[in-house]
């Protein structure tokens, strides 16, 4: 609702003709109201214009905004927004990453598009391997294993020496840990995947990677894992997880992974 206050003109002509009268000066310092609006002059009777009391006040009531979000009710598509919530131009709470969780409740406000999130707005990690589902290429990794950045089970500390397929010294601890996990998950079958770095010819690398996978399978079988649960396959240098331009990167790529299969 809009309105304008009454223009107040207090005539003090007599004070201009005759001079200041103390009573008038006192009266000029007073305030009065028009339609509920307090009226006064900032000079408070200390200036002739103040004593004439000529004052003009234009008041305008703003549009209604019942939820106080800064968007007038007539334009507010979400008229009951909670106090203090950020809203868009339509008066609706903001969800910047469009994950279905409003900014005020979103603990992960920059979730990538399409990622499944929990009630806090953070990406879901169903198998608990530290890799969120939208990045996880091995979604059913057993609990407690080491994984690659893609969420796939990799046997750590079993990085083979160049052109070798025998189990390297020091790898038995990691392999024994793999045996324990496999025994704890008897209903799961795995493909043992061998990999190489990019050195050498592709065909030779494929054969070498298969021998590495077979070496790991043989170790697991010797320690009580049924051979029918394990399939050995070599992928050569086609699936690197590190740069092949450094010695460290090539060593990481000479690895064995286990991926669950039906």
């Amino acid at each position: 609702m809009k309105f304008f206050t009454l223009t107040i003109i207090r005539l003090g002509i007599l004070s201009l003709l005759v001079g200041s009268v103390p009573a008038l000066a006192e009266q000029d310092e007073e305030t009065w109201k028009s339609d509920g609006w307090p009226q006064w002059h900032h000079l408070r009777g200390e200036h002739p214009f103040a004593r004439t009391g000529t004052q003009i006040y234009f008041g305008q009531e703003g549009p209604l905004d019942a939820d106080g979000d800064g968007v007038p009710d007539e334009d507010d598509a979400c008229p009951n927004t909670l106090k203090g919530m950020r809203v868009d131009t339509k008066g609706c709470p903001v969800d910047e990453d469009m994950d279905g969780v409003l900014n005020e409740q979103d603990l992960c406000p920059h979730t990538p598009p399409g990622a499944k999130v929990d009630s806090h707005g953070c990406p879901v990690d169903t198998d608990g391997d530290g890799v969120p589902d939208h990045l996880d290429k091995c979604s059913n990794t057993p609990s407690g294993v080491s994984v690659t950045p893609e969420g796939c089970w990799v046997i750590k500390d079993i990085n083979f020496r160049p052109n070798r397929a025998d189990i390297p010294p020091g790898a038995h601890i990691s392999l024994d840990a793999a045996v324990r996990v496999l025994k704890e998950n008897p209903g799961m079958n795995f493909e043992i995947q061998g990999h190489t770095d990019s050195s050498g010819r592709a065909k030779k690398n494929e054969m070498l990677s298969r021998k590495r996978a077979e070496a790991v399978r043989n170790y697991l079988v010797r320690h009580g894992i049924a051979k029918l649960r394990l399939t050995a396959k070599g992928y050569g240098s086609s699936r690197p997880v590190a740069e092949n331009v450094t010695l460290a990167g090539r060593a990481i790529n000479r690895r064995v992974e286990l991926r669950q299969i039906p």
Side-chain angles (χ1 to χ4, degrees):
M1 177 179 179
K2 301 179 180 180
F3 63 88
F4 292 93
T5 60
L6 175 67
T7 301
I8 305 300
I9 303 178
R10 300 184 63 208
L11 298 178
I13 298 175
L14 182 60
S15 67
L16 291 175
L17 296 175
V18 179
S20 300
V21 179
L24 281 177
E26 290 179 7
Q27 186 179 19
D28 286 328
E29 292 186 20
E30 295 176 355
T31 63
W32 65 97
K33 293 184 178 181
S34 173
D35 291 339
W37 291 74
Q39 310 291 321
W40 67 88
H41 195 289
H42 71 284
L43 293 179
R44 298 171 64 97
E46 299 174 3
H47 189 278
F49 284 109
R51 289 195 293 272
T52 63
T54 304
Q55 302 179 35
I56 302 176
Y57 289 85
F58 293 97
Q60 182 176 0
E61 184 179 341
L64 294 178
D65 178 14
D67 57 7
D69 62 0
V71 179
D73 288 356
E74 59 187 17
D75 301 322
D76 200 333
C78 302
N80 298 312
T81 305
L82 295 177
K83 185 176 180 61
M85 295 188 75
R86 286 186 59 192
V87 299
D88 56 24
T89 56
K90 295 181 180 179
C92 293
V94 177
D95 175 16
E96 290 180 342
D97 56 7
M98 302 295 289
D99 61 359
V101 180
L102 302 178
N103 280 16
E104 279 71 16
Q105 289 85 39
D106 201 333
L107 299 182
C108 302
H110 304 297
T111 305
K116 183 180 179 182
V117 299
D118 58 22
S119 59
H120 300 294
C122 294
V124 173
D125 177 15
T126 303
D127 57 8
D129 62 359
V131 180
D133 288 0
H134 68 284
L135 298 175
D136 200 333
K137 294 186 177 180
C138 300
S139 57
N140 297 312
T141 305
S143 176
V145 303
S146 300
V147 298
T148 67
E150 297 177 338
C152 297
W153 183 6
V154 61
I155 302 180
K156 277 193 168 184
D157 303 319
I158 193 172
N159 301 118
F160 292 88
R161 288 167 289 183
N163 300 314
R164 301 288 295 270
D166 51 310
I167 302 295
H172 299 283
I173 294 176
S174 296
L175 286 168
D176 290 343
V179 169
R180 183 178 66 254
V181 171
L182 289 168
K183 288 182 177 180
E184 291 173 352
N185 297 272
M188 300 176 72
N189 301 321
F190 290 88
E191 179 179 85
I192 302 175
Q193 301 181 348
H195 301 274
T196 70
D197 61 31
S198 61
S199 304
R201 294 175 298 170
K203 193 169 184 64
K204 179 182 177 182
N205 284 337
E206 183 179 344
M207 182 183 302
L208 178 62
S209 63
R210 186 176 70 252
K211 288 181 178 180
R212 288 173 176 171
E214 291 171 348
V216 170
R217 183 181 61 182
N218 293 338
Y219 185 96
L220 299 177
V221 170
R222 287 198 305 271
H223 287 77
I225 306 301
K227 189 173 182 178
L228 291 176
R229 297 178 57 194
L230 308 171
T231 301
K233 188 172 181 179
Y235 287 89
S237 60
S238 63
R239 299 183 181 182
V241 292
E243 296 290 339
N244 277 300
V245 295
T246 64
L247 291 175
R250 289 195 290 273
I252 292 173
N253 286 330
R254 298 191 296 269
R255 70 195 189 281
V256 167
E257 295 180 13
L258 279 72
R259 297 202 184 193
Q260 186 185 2
I261 56 176

